[in-house]
Amino acid sequence: MAVDRLTADSGAGLDLLTMGRVGVDLYPEQIGVPLAEVMTFRKMLGSSPTNVAVAAARLGLSTGVITVVGRDGFGTYVRAALSGFGVRTDHVIEHMHLRTPLAFCEIHPPDHFPLLFYREPMAPDLTTDVSAVDLDAVTAAGIFWTTGTGLTVEPSRSATLAALEARSGRAHTIHDLDHRPSLWPQLDEARRWQREALRHATVVVGNRTEVAVVVDDTDPRAAANALLDLGPSLAIVKLGPEGVLAATRDEVR
């Protein structure tokens, strides 16, 4: 991987360490119109692992992100925005050739927000390999969070699985299914590798659609039980405006 590693301490002992997808989201300032009719956009830090780290930092936790950005203006923006929110960037690496990904959004209230990803030919975060992951920081973090996007291709897939395996089933090892159909070549591959990740996770998070990819069931309770059978001790199924369903072997809420 053509990267320039930044020198910093390991970040061991973080309350939360996330790993995976990063990018810049461009949100339209015109609401309720298709992308072709949008005239102006608002730039924001984006992608689920990054958003989780920012949200936790806002709650006063020490947080960090393992990811790769491009050596470009958007990569500079990502690092500055993370730091501005109080998220440590010790493990944010710069790729010397690939560009920081973009995602364009449409906003159709109340709950329709289609995304158009610009992550070709390869997103920098998908070039993360095992050698770029500080496994000591992974195992020391109070909460470790991965996403399904990191499983789509190598070397990110092996790096993500190695990080999950390093946790050895430690509590608060969270895998967010984060299923983006356009990023997977085949649905069967998504199911295979998501299930492999869940062998090492203690918590799984996904919406109805994402969960159905893994367990082929859209009923929240049945799907949660099927997810628990794959290894996690807590399954969280997001239900949109209806809230969430959380299930363990002994309790459902």
Side-chain angles (χ1 to χ4, degrees):
M1 179 173 66
V3 298
D4 177 23
R5 177 180 284 281
L6 302 177
T7 57
D9 58 72
S10 68
L14 291 172
D15 295 317
L16 167 72
L17 181 60
T18 70
M19 176 178 177
R21 184 162 60 89
V22 71
V24 175
D25 289 347
L26 296 171
Y27 285 92
E29 296 184 315
Q30 292 76 46
I31 308 301
V33 300
L35 197 60
E37 298 177 19
V38 174
M39 300 300 295
T40 55
F41 294 87
R42 187 161 46 101
K43 178 181 66 178
M44 299 183 71
L45 186 64
S47 300
S48 55
T50 310
N51 293 337
V52 168
V54 168
R58 284 176 163 174
L59 294 174
L61 300 181
S62 60
T63 70
V65 179
I66 299 172
T67 194
V68 184
V69 297
R71 182 172 287 182
D72 51 37
F74 285 120
T76 301
Y77 164 73
V78 167
R79 293 179 59 82
L82 286 170
S83 296
F85 284 118
V87 179
R88 288 178 54 171
T89 59
D90 304 38
H91 308 290
V92 179
I93 297 171
E94 291 182 339
H95 197 286
M96 292 186 288
H97 305 299
L98 297 175
R99 295 177 180 176
T100 305
L102 304 176
F104 291 84
C105 183
E106 293 181 25
I107 299 179
H108 301 279
D111 59 1
H112 184 52
F113 309 103
L115 288 170
L116 176 62
F117 290 101
Y118 279 69
R119 292 174 59 86
E120 292 85 12
M122 171 78 88
D125 52 78
L126 294 178
T127 68
T128 305
D129 59 31
V130 175
S131 67
V133 180
D134 185 341
L135 295 179
D136 290 336
V138 168
T139 57
I143 302 169
F144 181 60
W145 185 295
T146 60
T147 73
T149 305
L151 302 172
T152 54
V153 297
E154 295 289 0
S156 175
R157 178 186 300 147
S158 291
T160 301
L161 293 174
L164 286 168
E165 188 172 1
R167 296 280 293 185
S168 300
R170 180 182 170 185
H172 310 312
T173 301
I174 302 173
H175 184 67
D176 182 349
L177 297 176
D178 188 37
H179 181 72
R180 307 293 178 172
S182 63
L183 305 182
W184 284 96
Q186 294 181 340
L187 188 61
D188 287 348
E189 284 291 287
R191 176 171 296 187
R192 173 189 175 188
W193 293 113
Q194 295 277 31
R195 287 181 169 229
E196 179 64 23
L198 294 183
R199 290 181 55 237
H200 308 289
T202 61
V203 181
V204 55
V205 180
N207 61 34
R208 281 190 178 103
T209 302
E210 292 168 333
V211 166
V213 170
V214 180
V215 298
D216 199 24
D217 201 324
T218 57
D219 176 75
R221 291 203 175 196
N225 287 332
L227 289 170
L228 294 175
D229 288 338
L230 298 176
S233 54
L234 172 62
I236 299 173
V237 182
K238 296 183 287 186
L239 306 176
E242 301 171 40
V244 299
L245 179 144
T248 66
R249 284 298 182 192
D250 303 316
E251 188 177 9
V252 177
R253 290 189 179 183

